[in-house]
Structure formats: structure tokens, C-alpha cells
Amino acid sequence: MQVWPGQPYPLGATYDGVGTNFAVFSESADRIELCLLGPDDVETTIELRETDAFVRHAYLPGIQPGQRYGFRVHGSYEPARGQRHNGAKLLLDPYAKAMSGTIDWDESVYGYHFGAPERRNDLDSGPHTMHSVVINPYFDWGNDRPPRTEYHRSVIYEAHVKGLTQLHPGIPEEIRGTYAALAHPALIEHLAKLGITAIELMPVHQFVRDHRLRDIGLSNYWGYNTIGFFAPHGSYSSVGDRGQQVQEFKSMVKALHAAGIEVILDVVYNHTAEGNHLGPTLSMRGLDNASYYRLAPDRRYYTDTTGTGNSLLMRSPHVLQLIMDSLRYWVTEMHVDGFRFDLAATLARQFHEVDRLSSFFDLVQQDPVVSQAKLIAEPWDVGEGGYQVGNFPPLWTEWNGMYRDTVRDLWRGENATLAEFGSRLTGSSDLYQHDGRRPIASINFITCHDGFTLRDLVSYNDKHNEANGEHNRDGESFNRSWNCGVEGPTKDTRVLELRARQQRNFIATLLLSQGVPMLSHGDELGRTQGGNNNAYCQDSELSWVNWPGDGELLEFTQGMVWLRRNHPVFRRRRFFRGRPVAAAHDDLTDIAWFTPGGEEMTERDWSASYAKSLTVFLNGAAISEPDRRGGRITDDSFLLLFNAHHESLQFIVPREHGEEWQVVVDTTLATLPTPGTGLRVKEGDGLWLADRSLLVLQRPA
């Protein structure tokens, strides 16, 4: 076999049509061998002799896509000094564009012997681990274009590749649970009718099934256990994992883009699947442990701010390069449109504390590719000072956990919630306005993958995670949920009606709020997990979307999404001012707040702990934003009547804010009124709102 010197960049395996360049970083290795695997897993070994800036490299003519490979790294094995090299371990390439096979959790994949963690383990892991794969980078993108939907027009749909599609009757069985299923017309039609503009996929970077979960018959369903930051997860492919998953993923993106739907990836750059000091040696641990991971003062152990055993070393230039190269690759080569960063506070831990000025954010800010993608932070981790909602840089948007908590508290009847609810409904200016950000910085959500589904939120007071094998100890115990009077399934029609109304209340509130709404997959269909609020290990019908679901709830959700889409007053680009806008040519403020009695709210009304009801006036003539043609955006005006009280209340339509109004949303009804048929009322009229219900009144411009 010919071996040419090759190039140190790009890192990973790069096929050019004739051969493949291999490049891998390790500052601490004495020697690195490239291992090419044949049909019977027989290894052909080539030592990487060329070195530039700690990158070993070689070019091999004739090496084609589909070739499996790995690295064997020789050097010091001194855990007390932070290094764990061992040539007996076949290592994955951190830059591999595809990975093949699975880990069978034989003792050989560990750096120590079971029962004797102080003893070095020299068993060969090659037959028991995954392999990196050379891919064909060429793909016919045709006329693919990113939709580039503006944030204020976005409706995000968080989804799991398998969970969303596995039971869909309109998708052929042989492709269910795969990237091809997401590209199927039946699935795209559902998203398009729902009005979704972006699908946010739970982790699709190659991840690992945990040893512990395998032993108890469960799996890492969610995928927050990444081992490959460039590789699409192989088991989500319908055509194989020898590089075909890359082509299938690209075809999925192309199909979604053709329907005007953006693709956002939930990415896990804060840790890897190698776990703590007792974890397996799969990739970075064996390449250069001290360069990739944050080590504790006792360098045998890891600093863990993620709850997974390790955290990547965010002050290492090689870790930062790995993450930035990965992000850039997914935008330029895979055509994705944005990223949601899991436990993003860890990415800000350059040293110990969370620092919004850390190197990672500087690199993102100046990168001409990554900075233009949608960047969404999960603004917390499990370390000290990790809750950072509202504290990310101006370029970023954030999952707004305060929005979720406040809206849940309002509708379950908690006291003293009105004032904070007012902030959350209007875009959380208290969190984002201080550094020049706008309402779009707030990604609003009621539910997500982590916690109860929407249906379970109104059906359970307590978690029911017994199926997870941890005696119901896992998962959040404080869910801000309310079962409406009965725990779990019931035939009580009054309870069922209330639960249905509460689901509509949550969906309506979400889509009437300023900011960017995010729905969790299946919530529009009434999906349940039987009270399990931590289904991370449940790759089963417990967590899959059960189609067709609740058709009335789906119709209601579709109606609310389209109401939002058709009326810019619900998706303003700027915060409310709370005063009249000169360009509106009237003397009405852009927003006003009223008691149920129709009087303007006072400080005393806001602070009344028992108050759970109010009316909000949104002035469509006072949006005060330019349109695309240089004019000014105007809209109809609306009154939002919220009654989260446990009894029905009479609301008075405020005077001097519009003579005549029409009901366009009533959450006591299963679906929205047909346009033009809703109840008409006049200023000063009284309206009785049922307990825990919401009305929206519209006044044409």
C-alpha cells in the first residue's frame, strides 16, 4: 500500500475522488497507528509518521468511501497525571463523518479490569467497539436553499427521529424511525398543515447505548450521549451505516427545505459518552485525555458539570476547534439551519465559573458561517452557578425556562403569578432587553422532551417512572403539574373535559405570547407517556407518538398556529412600550392591562396574591415596525381574556378601546369558531368566562 505524507488539515478522513487523507490530533501520544479494517475485521496498520503542530497525517491513494478505520495510540498510561494511552484500544476518530457498528460492552473496551480499576487492561477492544468510516462527500443538492425564516415568523417543533415516525401509518414500515421517514410526504404534510417552520431534532450526532442501560434491557433513547460530533447516528438510517446514513440525512434536509421547513439540531458539545474515570476508552480519552477533558485537581478524576461523568475542556484550543469545525461542517456540508446547545452553560465554563465572554462565544461571534445560523442555548447545566437564563450574548436565543414555569403556575392556579405572567406573555423584557435583545431571544415552551408531555401535565401530579428501573427515583419531582382532580387515566367526564380545556389553554397561551413558540412532538395529538417524565431510556411505544391521536386537539393547535401566522401583533419584533405610538394615529397605548371588571390594572391589582385573571389589549395599529416595502406594519387589535381562577367570572369588555369585538378563540370549545361566526360583543358588555378558560376577541383594523 502506498503511503504519502498527506496534509494536517482538514482533520479526519477526507476522500477526494482518488484517495483519502487521514489526520488526527494528539499532543501527548508517542506513536499513532491508522488501522484499516477489512471484510473480516482484519486490520492493516499504517504508522502516521508525519507530524505538524501535534497532528499526525498521511494520504493513502485508492482508499474509497465505505472503508472502516480506527486509531491505536501509544504513549504513557498514567491516570494520576491525566493520561490514559493504550495501544490495545481501537479508537474512533473524533472527526469521523460516519461510524459503523455498535459497542458490545466487553471488558476490553475499558482501560482497566472489572473489579480492579487500578490495573491497566490490555485486552484488544477492536472486535468489540464501533469503527469510523470514510464517506463520499459528494451529493446533488440541486436547487436546495435554506428557508432562512426570520425568528419572529418561526414556529419550532421539537422532535425525535424515531419517536415521531415509528408508528405513523402513512409511512412505509421499512423506513419508519429513520431520516427517510422524516422526508416522507405524509410526515411533511403534517408539519406543513400544522404551520411548522423549523423542526428541532433531538440528538442525531452518533451516540452510544449505555452499558448500564443495556444490562437492564433499556437504551439511550434520547441520544444525549454523543461519541461523534460529525457523524449522523447510524441506526436512524434505513439503508445502512457504512456511510449511507450521510446521504440519507442530506436527502432528508433537502426534502424539508423544499417544504419551507428549517432543520435545527440539538447538539451535545458539553460532554462525551466516555463517562467518568470508570467509563470506556472509545476515542478522546485514549487520544489525549488531558487535552480533551476537564480534569479534577486529582487528575485521575473528571470535573463534571453535566451530570454525565465528564465535561469537555472549553479552554483547550483543540476542543474549541473541534466544536467549531463540527458546527461549520453541519451548516456547509449538511445544510442544517441552526443548533440548540444542550447544557450550554458548560460551554461558557472556560475555567470554573460561567463566563458569557468565554472563548467559545467569541469564536461563534466572529465566524462568518456559524454566526449566521440559528443559535439556541439551553441556558443551564448542573454545576454551581449553572442557571443562566437571560445571560447569554446578544447573538443567541434561549430556551426560556422561566416562561415554562410561570405559565404552568398560572394555569394550575398558583397564587401571586400575574405580574410575572405579564412579563412572560410579552416576551420577557426583564430578561433580554438590558443587552439590546428583542422578544425573539425567548424560545417559549410549555413542554419539551424532558418532563411530562402536555397531556400528562394535566393528568398527573406525580412522576411515574417505574419502567426506568430506578425505583421512580429518577426525573424531576417538582413538575408544576396538576391532574385536574384524578391521578392518571379516568372515565370521569368532568375531569376529562377540564384536562382537554387545560391543554387548549396552554397551547393558546404559547401561541399568543411574544417570542418564538416551540411545540413538543405529539402534544398537538394528545401524546401520553403514562406519567413518565424522564423517558430518556424508553425506546418503545411508551415514548413514540401514537398516530392519529386527538384530532380535535390537532385542529385547535393548527388554528392557533395560523392565527399567530396571520397576525403580526402576536409576533412583534420589538418589545411593547406601554404608551401610545405616534405613527398609529390614535391615542391608544400599544398594550394595556385590565381587571376582569374592565378597569385598568393598578399596582395593587398586580400584587394581589389571589388574582388569577386579567384582560390584555393588543393594539394592532401600534406595532410601529417597518414592513419589507418601507411602509409600516399594522394589524387588527385583540383582547386576551385569561381566567385561571377555579370559578367562572364575569369579564367586562373595556371601554374606549374598540366599539365592537368578535370572539375568535374560546378554549371551552374543542375547536376554533369558523371565521366570521364567533360571538359579537360591544364595549361595556359582560362576558362570563368558565373556570380556567381563555377568550380572544378581535377588532378589525
Side-chain angles (χ1 to χ4, degrees):
M1 180 179 294
Q2 295 186 60
V3 180
W4 298 357
Q7 300 294 328
Y9 193 85
L11 289 159
T14 306
Y15 173 69
D16 63 4
V18 177
T20 302
N21 189 81
F22 294 89
V24 61
F25 160 77
S26 178
E27 186 173 346
S28 56
D30 295 332
R31 184 164 56 93
I32 298 181
E33 294 172 317
L34 169 66
C35 302
L36 304 178
L37 286 91
D40 298 321
D41 290 345
V42 175
E43 293 183 18
T44 300
T45 301
I46 300 100
E47 183 175 350
L48 300 179
R49 299 182 181 276
E50 297 291 330
T51 305
D52 289 280
F54 303 115
V55 175
R56 317 290 175 103
H57 52 89
Y59 180 88
L60 305 184
I63 296 300
Q64 299 291 307
Q67 173 66 58
R68 293 177 298 145
Y69 71 98
F71 298 112
R72 294 190 184 273
V73 180
H74 303 270
S76 64
Y77 181 83
E78 299 179 86
R81 297 181 60 187
Q83 290 301 348
R84 296 173 178 266
H85 296 302
N86 187 335
K89 310 307 171 188
L90 185 66
L91 304 178
L92 292 163
D93 181 358
Y95 277 77
K97 306 302 190 301
M99 294 180 179
S100 175
T102 58
I103 299 167
D104 66 10
W105 297 113
D106 182 79
E107 186 176 5
S108 61
V109 302
Y110 292 86
Y112 62 92
H113 286 280
F114 292 167
E118 72 284 352
R119 287 180 54 213
R120 170 176 161 141
N121 179 344
D122 289 325
L123 297 172
D124 181 9
S125 70
H128 304 283
T129 191
M130 302 168 66
H131 306 131
S132 305
V133 181
V134 178
I135 69 152
N136 181 356
Y138 305 109
F139 179 79
D140 182 9
W141 283 104
N143 61 354
D144 179 69
R145 294 290 185 274
R148 297 195 182 281
T149 306
E150 296 173 281
Y151 267 121
H152 72 285
R153 296 178 182 272
S154 295
V155 178
I156 299 174
Y157 189 79
E158 187 196 30
H160 187 282
V161 172
K162 185 174 184 180
L164 179 61
T165 63
Q166 185 66 24
L167 299 178
H168 197 299
I171 297 175
E173 285 191 38
E174 62 270 19
I175 67 169
R176 292 179 187 174
T178 69
Y179 304 122
L182 285 179
H184 192 273
L187 196 282
I188 290 179
E189 181 184 16
H190 174 77
L191 298 177
K193 284 185 175 179
L194 189 54
I196 298 303
T197 68
I199 186 168
E200 182 180 300
L201 296 178
M202 291 173 65
V204 296
H205 288 174
Q206 184 67 52
F207 59 85
V208 171
R209 183 186 188 188
D210 298 34
H211 192 166
R212 181 188 69 83
L213 293 175
R214 191 283 308 264
D215 288 349
I216 61 175
L218 299 173
S219 65
N220 196 304
Y221 170 66
W222 283 353
Y224 292 93
N225 203 28
T226 304
I227 197 61
F229 294 132
F230 293 78
H233 188 62
S235 71
Y236 292 158
S237 171
S238 65
V239 291
D241 65 355
R242 297 291 180 89
Q244 303 98 322
Q245 63 265 48
V246 177
Q247 304 295 312
E248 186 173 341
F249 184 93
K250 290 178 177 179
S251 295
M252 175 199 73
V253 172
K254 185 177 178 181
L256 288 165
H257 279 182
I261 299 171
E262 294 182 306
V263 178
I264 297 171
L265 302 187
D266 192 338
V267 289
V268 189
Y269 292 117
N270 50 72
H271 74 280
T272 77
E274 292 187 293
N276 64 15
H277 63 289
L278 298 177
T281 299
L282 305 175
S283 181
M284 301 177 196
R285 172 171 284 147
L287 277 166
D288 193 336
N289 188 55
S291 288
Y292 281 110
Y293 293 113
R294 293 189 66 191
L295 302 181
D298 183 341
R299 296 176 71 78
R300 293 174 296 174
Y301 305 109
Y302 296 82
T303 298
D304 177 18
T305 59
T306 65
T308 61
N310 66 58
S311 303
L312 286 176
L313 183 63
M314 296 308 299
R315 65 175 179 270
S316 165
H318 302 287
V319 169
L320 292 169
Q321 180 186 6
L322 172 72
I323 296 174
M324 294 305 299
D325 285 350
S326 170
L327 292 169
R328 206 175 298 113
Y329 172 79
W330 286 96
V331 174
T332 59
E333 298 298 319
M334 307 295 266
H335 285 208
V336 305
D337 304 281
F339 307 93
R340 178 266 188 188
F341 293 79
D342 177 67
L343 301 180
T346 291
L347 303 177
R349 293 184 185 274
Q350 190 163 339
F351 295 98
H352 171 73
E353 72 286 349
V354 176
D355 180 5
R356 63 177 289 177
L357 300 178
S358 69
S359 298
F360 171 69
F361 296 108
D362 292 343
L363 290 172
V364 170
Q365 180 72 36
Q366 60 79 43
D367 189 281
V369 173
V370 179
S371 65
Q372 298 309 300
K374 284 185 166 68
L375 302 172
I376 304 171
E378 181 186 35
W380 50 78
D381 65 14
V382 300
E384 182 181 352
Y387 193 76
Q388 294 291 320
V389 173
N391 290 331
F392 275 70
L395 192 65
W396 291 66
T397 63
E398 303 175 16
W399 271 26
N400 190 343
M402 291 187 179
Y403 178 93
R404 171 200 60 205
D405 295 346
T406 301
V407 174
R408 287 188 180 193
D409 281 348
L410 176 80
W411 285 115
R412 72 190 182 105
E414 284 294 290
N415 291 331
T417 57
L418 274 193
E420 187 165 0
F421 174 70
S423 294
R424 305 299 154 242
L425 181 72
T426 55
S428 296
S429 61
D430 57 324
L431 299 177
Y432 304 115
Q433 194 171 25
H434 62 91
D435 58 4
R437 286 193 282 176
R438 295 182 176 180
I440 58 171
S442 179
I443 306 296
N444 299 329
F445 65 106
I446 308 296
T447 59
C448 63
H449 68 274
D450 189 1
F452 283 146
T453 66
L454 182 62
R455 179 174 168 184
D456 289 353
L457 184 68
V458 301
S459 304
Y460 295 91
N461 285 348
D462 303 305
K463 63 184 180 182
H464 296 270
N465 298 352
E466 291 79 8
N468 295 356
E470 299 183 44
H471 305 288
N472 206 33
R473 291 192 297 263
D474 63 303
E476 175 61 59
S477 296
F478 182 47
N479 295 285
R480 290 184 158 89
S481 62
W482 180 49
N483 63 20
C484 298
V486 178
E487 186 74 357
T490 182
K491 295 182 179 180
D492 188 320
T493 56
R494 289 178 300 176
V495 172
L496 293 175
E497 288 172 0
L498 177 55
R499 288 177 178 177
R501 187 160 74 248
Q502 285 284 71
Q503 290 178 80
R504 294 191 290 270
N505 288 334
F506 281 122
I507 288 172
T509 303
L510 176 68
L511 291 162
L512 295 170
S513 298
Q514 305 298 323
V516 183
M518 185 187 78
L519 291 163
S520 180
H521 73 178
D523 275 354
E524 77 279 15
L525 302 170
R527 182 173 78 92
T528 178
Q529 292 178 168
N532 191 317
N533 74 351
N534 191 32
Y536 76 102
C537 56
Q538 297 295 331
D539 187 2
S540 66
E541 293 190 21
L542 177 74
S543 54
W544 301 338
V545 175
N546 188 12
W547 301 83
D550 185 338
E552 288 185 337
L553 184 59
L554 172 60
E555 184 179 345
F556 180 87
T557 307
Q558 289 171 334
M560 288 304 308
V561 172
W562 288 95
L563 179 69
R564 178 186 181 86
R565 173 174 286 194
N566 292 334
H567 292 286
V569 74
F570 299 125
R571 45 182 176 81
R572 292 167 53 101
R573 289 180 290 179
R574 294 178 173 84
F575 289 110
F576 291 102
R577 301 179 183 182
R579 61 178 184 269
V581 175
H585 304 296
D586 65 29
D587 58 356
L588 297 179
T589 181
D590 56 1
I591 186 171
W593 307 84
F594 300 91
T595 67
E599 302 295 328
E600 288 208 40
M601 296 273 285
T602 65
E603 285 294 327
R604 183 176 180 180
D605 295 321
W606 283 114
S607 60
S609 64
Y610 57 84
K612 301 179 181 68
S613 306
L614 79 166
T615 296
V616 188
F617 167 71
L618 304 180
N619 188 352
I623 297 177
S624 189
E625 295 174 9
D627 63 22
R628 294 176 178 177
R629 293 173 292 185
R632 189 174 58 81
I633 295 173
T634 60
D635 192 11
D636 298 342
S637 294
F638 290 85
L639 288 171
L640 316 181
L641 284 61
F642 295 89
N643 181 23
H645 194 58
H646 64 274
E647 294 179 339
S648 60
L649 290 177
Q650 186 182 49
F651 280 64
I652 303 300
V653 178
R655 298 180 183 278
E656 300 180 358
H657 285 75
E659 293 183 0
E660 187 171 273
W661 301 82
Q662 185 168 42
V663 174
V664 293
V665 177
D666 181 351
T667 60
T668 65
L669 303 177
T671 57
L672 300 186
T674 302
T677 66
L679 176 68
R680 294 182 181 274
V681 297
K682 295 184 177 181
E683 59 178 342
D685 284 354
L687 284 172
W688 281 94
L689 266 67
D691 60 292
R692 298 184 176 90
S693 68
L694 186 162
L695 278 184
V696 178
L697 310 183
Q698 181 178 359
R699 188 199 74 195

